[in-house]
Amino acid sequence: MAAAAECDVVMAATEPELLDDEEAKREAESFKEQGNAYYAKKDYNEAYNYYTKAIDMCPKNASYYGNRAATLMMLGKFREALGDAQQSVRLDDTFVRGHLREGKCHLSLGNAMAACRSFQRALELDHKNAQAQQEFKNANAVIEYEKIAETDFEKRDFRKVVFCMDRALEYAPACHRFKILKAECLAMLGRYPEAQSVASDILRMDSTNADALYVRGLCLYYEDCIEKAVQFFVQALRMAPDHEKACVACRNAKALKAKKEDGNKAFKEGNYKLAYELYTEALGIDPNNIKTNAKLYCNRGTVNSKLRKLDDAIEDCTNAVKLDDTYIKAYLRRAQCYLDTEQYEEAVRDYEKVYQTEKTKEHKQLLKNAQLELKKSKRKDYYKILGVDKNASEDEIKKAYRKRALMHHPDRHSGASAEVQKEEEKKFKEVGEAFTILSDPKKKTRYDSGQDLDEEGMNMGDFDANNIFKAFFGGPGGFSFEGKRGQEAVAFVTLFGSSFVFVVNHLRTSRQTLEALAEAMIFGALCEDPGEVLTA
């Protein structure tokens, strides 16, 4: 039993030798001095270690906490430094440096009101302290920048908000709230790389920061990477389910994606009316999404061009390039619409913009084609003068000349005013020019290709339309305004007008007179072919 009792005895462990208060203080001061030496050499990590040892030895010494706070501030760890500075003034409320450091940490973290209170306490203890006076002014400046930024954000003056936040961050470099606000405004201004950089920096330090996740998603959303944007918005809502901005952005992103995809599907199926409606609805979802809306306008412009609403298509493409002046597809679409509406100078301008941006062979050819059409448009349009299509046959061209030449012949308008006579004489000459060019295959080919007709040695300024008219109508049995026969025919038509057919049916006339009258009727533009009268 004695042996068993001996086994139950537990020997006490030898206690470490405890230092007395004075010795602990001396040891702590030694650590502090070593910390000061490392601090002076800017080796802040080692300084931190020795200040920590000093605190461990004497945890009630305010200056040790103050020194460690200063070291943490130099390491950019303002939140940890704030804890030490606050502990230092709890231990000694008269510790001026402690209050200054506490205020500086508050200010660096963006809490300017708390910083003001700390600096005020320091001034109460030392009203001549220059550092406290300056820092107090700095804190009040940050408060003012915050107020201005809040007002300007409501006004959507994002440039001014960025300016205010840049100024505030000079005094509050560790304030995530200011950085997030700046990043959000940069995104609203379309400066996406800068906004993404700010948000990414914050996420590297705090991957759960809902505001930074929201801004990162906002940048992707505005860059038309909607699917990726939704992922960030969802992640932000996981971190902060009540994040209102992330909630709205997520809803808009999903709605935009769905409407745009539905519009694209309707377009591919040829249902242009439905596609137009869907694109229009999508444009009403979020006016701030510049890139996506630019694409929607361009898509709707394409729909309008398919519906042959070319003016509307031009307007949509113009809205697209107003939102995104680098949007090549919108310029190309608008340029084609300009060509289709014969606005050649505008088409050339758009193709020049495209070619300057992307110097491809295709774009160069498009520009050359537009320049050719512009050159051709500045000449007389002989097809329009004759009133025929560009694909008109030789017979159609002759028939059109016959009608227009008789319609504008000066003799028909001999009783009109001098101004009218001059205008009709001009049109008569142009009709002759048009027939001369379009009835000659070689000249017509050169004209259609935009080549200069002067190279053929033809001076249209010396052109005599009467020679063409005589060549066309002169000869045996032909009609001429000169001589008794032609004058009588004109007088007859002038006298009886639209009653001509009735007169022909009831008068006994020679075939020669009938032919003259028929051709006179062509001249009067009452019928297009002598055969219509001769068979009456």
Side-chain angles (χ1 to χ4, degrees), residues 368-468:
K368 286 181 66 177
N369 292 343
Q371 289 170 333
L372 176 60
E373 290 301 321
L374 175 60
K375 179 181 177 183
K376 288 162 65 175
S377 73
K378 291 183 177 181
R379 306 175 308 173
K380 292 178 181 178
D381 189 335
Y382 291 136
Y383 291 103
K384 282 187 177 180
I385 289 171
L386 287 185
V388 296
D389 185 78
K390 292 184 178 181
N391 298 316
S393 66
E394 184 178 348
D395 286 342
E396 288 172 329
I397 290 171
K398 287 181 178 180
K399 186 176 180 180
Y401 172 71
R402 179 188 295 116
K403 179 178 179 180
R404 296 296 173 112
L406 291 169
M407 184 185 301
H408 297 297
H409 196 285
D411 287 350
R412 184 192 176 195
H413 305 279
S414 57
S417 66
E419 186 178 352
V420 171
Q421 288 185 43
K422 185 176 181 181
E423 181 64 24
E424 292 299 327
E425 185 177 352
K426 177 184 175 184
K427 291 180 179 178
F428 179 68
K429 181 179 179 181
E430 288 178 340
V431 168
E433 288 179 13
F435 179 72
T436 300
I437 299 301
L438 300 183
S439 62
D440 184 317
K442 185 176 180 181
K443 288 186 175 70
K444 184 175 183 295
T445 299
R446 292 180 65 83
Y447 174 78
D448 289 342
S449 64
Q451 298 182 54
D452 292 327
L453 296 174
D454 289 342
E455 295 177 8
E456 288 285 310
M458 181 177 179
N459 187 347
M460 303 306 287
D462 298 331
F463 177 79
D464 187 350
N466 284 306
N467 290 336
I468 300 299

Side-chain angles (χ1 to χ4, degrees), residues 24 35 39 45 169 208 225 253 312 339 345 380 397 461 463 493 497 499:
Y39 187 94
N45 287 313
L169 284 165
T208 65
C225 300
D312 291 342
L339 285 177
E345 290 186 0
K380 292 178 181 178
I397 290 171
F463 177 79
V493 172
S499 302

Side-chain angles (χ1 to χ4, degrees), residues 7 20 45 146 149 212 229 276 440 450 463:
C7 290
D20 59 35
N45 287 313
E146 281 191 83
Y276 178 89
D440 184 317
F463 177 79

Side-chain angles (χ1 to χ4, degrees), residues 241-260:
D242 296 330
H243 199 294
E244 185 178 350
K245 290 182 177 179
C247 184
V248 172
C250 189
R251 184 171 62 248
N252 286 345
K254 289 179 178 179
L256 260 180
K257 183 173 182 290
K259 287 289 183 186
K260 184 180 177 184

Side-chain angles (χ1 to χ4, degrees), residues 411 466 470 480-487:
D411 287 350
N466 284 306
K470 289 176 182 178
S480 172
F481 283 101
E482 299 175 0
K484 184 177 180 181
R485 177 186 169 204
Q487 292 169 3

Side-chain angles (χ1 to χ4, degrees), residues 70 99 118 172 175 214 328 372 408 443 469 497:
H99 287 294
S118 295
C175 181
Y214 160 71
I328 296 298
L372 176 60
H408 297 297
K443 288 186 175 70
F469 186 84

Side-chain angles (χ1 to χ4, degrees), residues 14-68:
T14 304
E15 293 185 359
E17 186 178 353
L18 297 175
L19 298 175
D20 59 35
D21 288 344
E22 289 300 320
E23 190 174 353
K25 288 179 181 178
R26 286 194 297 272
E27 189 76 15
E29 279 296 308
S30 175
F31 289 139
K32 172 192 165 185
E33 293 301 325
Q34 292 180 72
N36 289 346
Y38 281 113
Y39 187 94
K41 291 189 291 185
K42 298 183 180 181
D43 187 346
Y44 301 116
N45 287 313
E46 279 301 309
Y48 173 85
N49 291 334
Y50 278 99
Y51 290 139
T52 300
K53 290 179 181 179
I55 289 171
D56 290 341
M57 296 300 296
C58 289
K60 301 295 184 181
N61 189 304
S63 68
Y64 297 166
Y65 285 100
N67 285 4
R68 192 168 72 173

